[in-house]
Amino acid sequence: MEYKFSHIEKKWQKIWKETNAYKVSNTSDRPKYYVLDMFPYPSGAGLHVGHPLGYIASDIFARYKRLKGFNVLHPMGYDAFGLPAEQYAIDHGIHPAVSTEDNINNFRRQLDNIGFCYDWDREIRTSDPYYYKWTQWIFLQLFHSWFNRKTQKAEPIAELVKLFEKEGNASHPCPGDLSIRFNEQTWAGFDEHQQMEILMDYRLSFCGYGEVNWCEALGTVLANDEVVNGVSERGGFPVVKKKLRQWYLRITEYADRLLEGLERIEFSDAMKEMQSNWIGKSYGAEISFAFKGSTSQLTVYTTRPDTIFGVDFMVIAPEHDLIDQITTPDQKQAVEDYIAYVKSRSERERMAEKKISGVFTGAYVLNPFDGREIPVWISEYVLAGYGTGAIMAVPCGDERDFKFAKHFNIPITNIIGSHYNGEEANPTKDAILENSGFLNGLVMRDAIEAALKKIEEIGIGTRKVNYKMRDAAFSRQRYWGEPFPIAWKEGVAYPLPESELPVVLPHIDEIKPGREGEGPLSNLPEWIKSSPIGGERESSTMPGYAGSSWYFLRYMDPHNDNAFCDRKVSDYWGQVDLYIGGTEHAVGHLLYSRMWTKALYDLGHIGYDEPYKKLVNQGKIGGDSRLIYRVRGTNQYVSVGLKDQYETDELHVDVTIVDGLELDQEAFKRSRAEYNNATFILEDGKYICGSRLEKMGKRYFNVVNPDDIVAKYGADTFRMYEMFLGPVEQDKPWDTKGIEGVHRFLKKLWRLFYDEVKGQVWNTEAPTDAEWKVLHKAIKRAEEDTERFSFNTTVSTFMICVNDLADLKCNKKDILQPLLVLLTPYAPHVSEELWHLLGNTTSILDAEYPTFEPKYLVESNKEYPVSVNGKVRTTINIALDAAQDDVEKIVLSNDVIQKWMEGKPHKKVVYVKGRMVNVVV
RNA sequence: ACCCCGGUGGCGGAACUGGUAGACGCGUUGGACUUAAAAUCCAAUUUGCCGAAAGGCGAGUACGGGUUCAACUCCCGUCUGGGGUACCA
């Protein structure tokens, strides 16, 4: 009886399906555990071996937790809305709904091949109206809410209206526009239109105007990555900034809570760092400087008020409002030219530019403390959107300011004495201030506070906390996304009642951009006019991250028609205990879904405000490309070792026709017509390819399809090999060759039970101590390593165990059966098969995880490494319970040790019980 | 430029709180079984030197320092690869 993996795997996959082995109940006496994968966008290319890495890891952990007695939720679904499907429709005329369905079916087939334990009854698709009904519903919750800064949480906007009626907005300044101020009488005097406009500036999902990448030739709005060097990626048409009406999420109100929450969740430091950098909280001050000979003022934002005496010039953004007003007549032309130049440049160019540019406005402001005249410049390195769009430049302390000053020959004031060397700026906070008026003699670190106090005291500025993060744009002028449950009446957005949900995405035969930057839905006048509350429907759709911001909740209660998720159910499942996915979603998806969770929590819909308790980032699997070398101008190919003797062109060759590094010459000739008469220059009769590690992708011909691997070696081998490659978090190259080792391991395991010649070899004899020891060593390590997600070392633990048992010729059921349970999360099919062959009638999926018993590992002696002055010289067998004195005696009397002590007296003997002994002389 | 993560044999990697560096696997070499192949098994495999061998001596975890009885592990500096962010004041 041999190991027929393909037969075994098909058989058990069928049985597990028929017996609903992976069905999960929302009620259980067992403790819960929620394992979630970042769900995939079902692309047309299908899965390559890099994709399932995280899925396998989570599957192993889910199965492990189940064996440990947990009720485990481990669902899967599809992030099914998105741009590629829409683009595919435009290019090939196939409707996104159709291509998405096809792609999902293909993904599902590939996933099933690998033997995952997903409860497919809980599958979700974000593009399914039954799902996006609730995406729209949550959007409405956000629309009907505002963020109360006093309580630091989302509250119903109806409450805010009551407050306005009672006391105006004095105690709740408007986050959308600080200049909006009114009392209860003025509020009562506003008409509905005005009131709705004001409320819009408070809502958590709101409509405003934002700049987008507008491509006139394509008649559409482009995403940042669709714009390359200021032109569209497709077609190369010009792209300009255009202000369009857009929906936003007021995520900035949550900035502090998003920061605070990071302290309560287990994300990697790198991930937390990325999120807090993105949020970009900084403490500083806004300071106003009076213009010379004018009543107007220039307000700047700075984090270093201590350097105020070192200000040598001001820089304002080219978009700054004051420019027209302050520019002197003789500088007018220069300023206009500069602004025209800046406008001609795309945002990307502006950001990438390292060269210094700018223009003087002719205006001066006065330093409030010493009255010094400070010139005001314009430069593109200051951004309009951050702070006040104006900075005070301190060239001795800031590198960019320094370079600017040097470039335009602006004199530099040194306020930090010897810390400034005239060659480069020094951003230190440790210098003692000089040339700094009332701050002289203070250490900068302390001067910050002193300066702030003074600035506030004389009323020229206030402390200010700034965030880099912006409100999140939430609308797309696209077709393949969730429609908004919104209708417009005379320029005012009205929400549709909940009873109208879902607003189903209408069918479009041909997807084309609408007019005036509107989305394709605007081409359906009948649909636009079909609003149940009158007016016109919103023609934009929601972005990709809408559906993914809350999907972890829907898996808990996927068929609920009355709620996005029953509160009792979300209370039972709680947070996602383990979330596995790639780093590429570090700031997008993870921040948005954290915000949605907080809002849902604030509004009482769920009982926790962080969605993911622990996040593990899986690394990427790189492709190992194979290269061949064509002798230039010929159809002759030279093996890598000889290529330097010729002038060659390097070509990628499909990795599937290369065995290791050796090219299958016949397969190569067959692969393309142009290679039919290829000839080769060989070394040792072989054509050896070059290799290079690159991203796995079609263009490099290095894609390895998991289907092929599973067909050749089986799912169990594939699963274990993906884990064996290295730590899950780490990037690593794929090497198909190495899979043999794991496959051999499974065959070796099989032979402990059945022999090709002898048939059954397993028996029911009583194990020896040595055999128990091998088993329990494996139990201990497999459990510890799985718990800390060290799946690669668990696999080697299994190998060591099987090697040891084979050496001991142990075929005993008492040993082999618990081993199968340990192995189940990693190789479920072969474990289940052998489990049944041992005579079990229930499924191994619900077996009990073996308990480690230390007694089998207890030893009385250890072969201690003994060093002299830190160098290991010999090993001595010493009793484990030996005391320091005994050990000293034994060790010092040892011949080898005496030799290395060279007759010198020992200073001390370091004895670490169970570890080592070191003699210091 | 800043931040984060890494750098260990021919290769993927192991060494968890400092305690015998290189587990496990791939590859390579030699051997057994076989008519042959596949499969399987055995042995060797960081490196230099001495030795017929058993074995011994020395070096070694990117590089240079340091702390320690003891450093892949901790500290300082440098180089280098990858990722993130970006004229963010």
Side-chain angles (χ1 to χ4, degrees), chain A residues 220-233:
Chain A
T220 185
V221 174
L222 299 175
N224 271 332
D225 29 304
E226 292 177 298
V227 186
V228 179
N229 296 326
V231 297
S232 62
E233 190 182 24

Side-chain angles (χ1 to χ4, degrees), chain A residues 755-766:
Chain A
D755 191 283
E756 267 179 67
V757 193
K758 291 179 252 173
Q760 175 181 332
V761 290
W762 63 271
N763 59 57
T764 52
E765 287 165 29

Side-chain angles (χ1 to χ4, degrees), chain A residues 886-901:
Chain A
D886 305 330
V887 172
E888 284 193 24
K889 250 177 256 164
I890 298 168
V891 166
L892 293 176
S893 63
N894 180 281
D895 289 347
V896 181
I897 296 304
Q898 280 194 350
K899 183 186 130 207
W900 285 100
M901 286 171 68

Side-chain angles (χ1 to χ4, degrees), chain A residues 288-471:
Chain A
S288 294
F289 291 77
F291 278 101
K292 178 188 165 195
S294 154
T295 51
S296 52
Q297 297 194 317
L298 177 67
T299 305
V300 301
Y301 176 72
T302 180
T303 53
R304 294 297 298 275
D306 55 314
T307 61
I308 192 156
F309 290 91
V311 177
D312 291 315
F313 56 102
M314 298 285 176
V315 187
I316 63 178
E319 296 86 355
H320 201 281
D321 289 339
L322 287 173
I323 288 177
D324 286 346
Q325 196 188 318
I326 62 170
T327 304
T328 56
D330 53 325
Q331 286 299 106
K332 197 161 185 289
Q333 192 56 48
V335 167
E336 276 172 9
D337 290 350
Y338 183 66
I339 289 176
Y341 153 77
V342 172
K343 272 201 178 137
S344 76
R345 289 150 58 74
S346 75
E347 193 167 333
R348 289 235 165 157
E349 281 174 329
R350 253 180 90 171
M351 290 195 300
E353 188 59 77
K354 296 279 178 231
K355 130 181 154 231
I356 297 150
S357 74
V359 66
F360 180 44
T361 61
Y364 292 87
V365 292
L366 302 172
N367 189 310
F369 294 109
D370 59 12
R372 206 147 62 97
E373 292 185 3
I374 306 168
V376 179
W377 289 70
I378 299 170
S379 176
E380 59 180 337
Y381 82 87
V382 171
L383 303 181
Y386 186 77
T388 60
I391 63 158
M392 53 181 229
V394 182
C396 73
D398 183 282
E399 196 54 40
R400 282 167 326 201
D401 297 349
F402 177 82
K403 285 189 176 137
F404 194 88
K406 281 280 174 204
H407 189 260
F408 289 105
N409 281 319
I410 303 168
I412 294 169
T413 308
N414 179 17
I415 54 168
I416 53 176
S418 58
H419 285 84
Y420 171 66
N421 61 9
E423 299 292 312
E424 55 183 0
N426 185 348
T428 179
K429 286 183 186 171
D430 298 321
I432 293 168
L433 285 164
E434 299 174 11
N435 299 326
S436 288
F438 70 95
L439 296 172
N440 274 336
L442 285 175
V443 175
M444 298 177 98
R445 210 172 284 283
D446 306 324
I448 294 177
E449 184 54 31
L452 281 169
K453 276 210 177 107
K454 190 81 172 187
I455 285 162
E456 288 190 313
E457 199 181 297
I458 62 174
I460 54 164
T462 49
R463 286 163 207 266
K464 177 94 198 240
V465 172
N466 243 324
Y467 298 95
K468 190 167 121 189
M469 182 168 66
R470 297 289 133 76
D471 283 329

Side-chain angles (χ1 to χ4, degrees), chain A residues 249-259 275-282 385-386 466-472 587 591-592 595:
Chain A
L249 297 183
R250 211 177 294 282
I251 191 171
T252 48
E253 291 291 300
Y254 276 96
D256 273 323
R257 283 181 58 194
L258 288 168
L259 278 175
Q275 292 213 349
S276 53
N277 284 347
W278 183 265
I279 295 167
K281 186 175 188 174
S282 65
Y386 186 77
N466 243 324
Y467 298 95
K468 190 167 121 189
M469 182 168 66
R470 297 289 133 76
D471 283 329
V587 283
L591 269 181
Y592 300 131
M595 180 217 159

